[in-house]
């Protein structure tokens, strides 16, 4: 259902602030599933449906924006490999490694590794966290991320430098 909802909105609203539209829906579904589970520990169907709907939207946004997480991580690794080869290859002209592009790729890989390590650490040190508030926390994180993805359509006042919007691409940071 979440995938279908996202696709319908994408067709209807085209390049509008779709992620900003879905941020409160995803947050509401994930927090709501936790609240229902806390109130009635036996409730399973409604929280499961709410989670399924929210994850459908999350996966659709992820696919639309980045492909998916595996492509993002392997893409970052590929960019770093290409930078290194271009640096040492005479054929490529021994290009200098762009610092911004290298930092962006290392940030993607590092963020993935830190997220995985943090999950393992919390599961080991605080197993009770799995029972309370995990989906609410994820809802807040995804809601914030979705709003950030639509920052340009929402005004992006925090991303402007000298009145111009800054962009980050594979190799550098530029301001329009």
């Amino acid at each position: 259902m979440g995938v279908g909802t996202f696709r319908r909105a994408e067709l209807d609203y085209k390049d509008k602030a779709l992620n900003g539209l879905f941020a409160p829906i995803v947050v509401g579904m994930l927090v709501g599933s936790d609240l229902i589970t806390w109130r009635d520990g036996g409730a399973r169907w409604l929280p499961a449906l709410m989670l399924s709907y929210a994850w459908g939207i999350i996966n659709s946004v992820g696919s639309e924006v980045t492909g998916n997480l595996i492509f993002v991580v392997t893409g970052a690794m590929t960019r770093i490999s290409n930078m290194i080869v271009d640096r040492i290859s005479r054929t490529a002209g021994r290009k200098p490694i762009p610092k911004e592009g290298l930092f962006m790729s290392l940030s993607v890989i590092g963020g993935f590794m830190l997220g995985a390590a943090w999950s393992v650490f919390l599961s080991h040190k605080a197993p009770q966290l799995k029972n309370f508030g995990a989906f609410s926390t994820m809802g807040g994180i995804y809601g914030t991320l979705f709003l950030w993805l639509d920052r340009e359509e929402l005004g992006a006042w925090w991303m402007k430098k000298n009145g111009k919007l800054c962009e980050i691409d594979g190799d550098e940071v530029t301001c329009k």
Side-chain angles (χ1 to χ4, degrees), residues 3-14 18 21-22:
V3 173
T5 302
F6 181 84
R7 181 67 179 150
R8 178 60 194 242
E10 182 182 38
L11 292 172
D12 287 346
Y13 299 113
K14 307 263 187 252
L18 281 180
L21 168 71
F22 286 112

Side-chain angles (χ1 to χ4, degrees), residues 36 42 45 78 136:
I36 291 170
W45 283 104
T78 301
S136 297

Side-chain angles (χ1 to χ4, degrees), residues 75-85 97 101-102 105-106 109:
M77 291 177 181
T78 301
R79 278 193 301 277
I80 290 173
S81 298
N82 289 341
M83 287 177 201
I84 292 169
V85 169
I97 295 175
L102 179 64
S105 294
L106 289 173
I109 295 166

Side-chain angles (χ1 to χ4, degrees), residues 4 7 11 21 24-25 44 47 50 56 58 65 70 72 75 80 87 102-104 107 114 133 135 143 158 162:
R7 181 67 179 150
L11 292 172
L21 168 71
I25 295 170
R44 295 287 182 251
M50 293 170 79
I58 289 167
V65 172
I70 292 172
V72 173
I80 290 173
R87 178 67 185 136
L102 179 64
F103 178 72
M104 187 171 68
S107 296
L114 285 173
F135 293 118
W158 62 91
N162 298 327

Side-chain angles (χ1 to χ4, degrees), residues 1 6 18 31 40 46 49 64 67 84 95 97 108 120 140 173-174:
M1 259 180 23
F6 181 84
L18 281 180
V31 170
D40 179 9
L46 185 56
L49 288 172
E64 188 67 28
I84 292 169
K95 298 177 189 171
I97 295 175
V108 168
V120 169
V173 178
T174 60

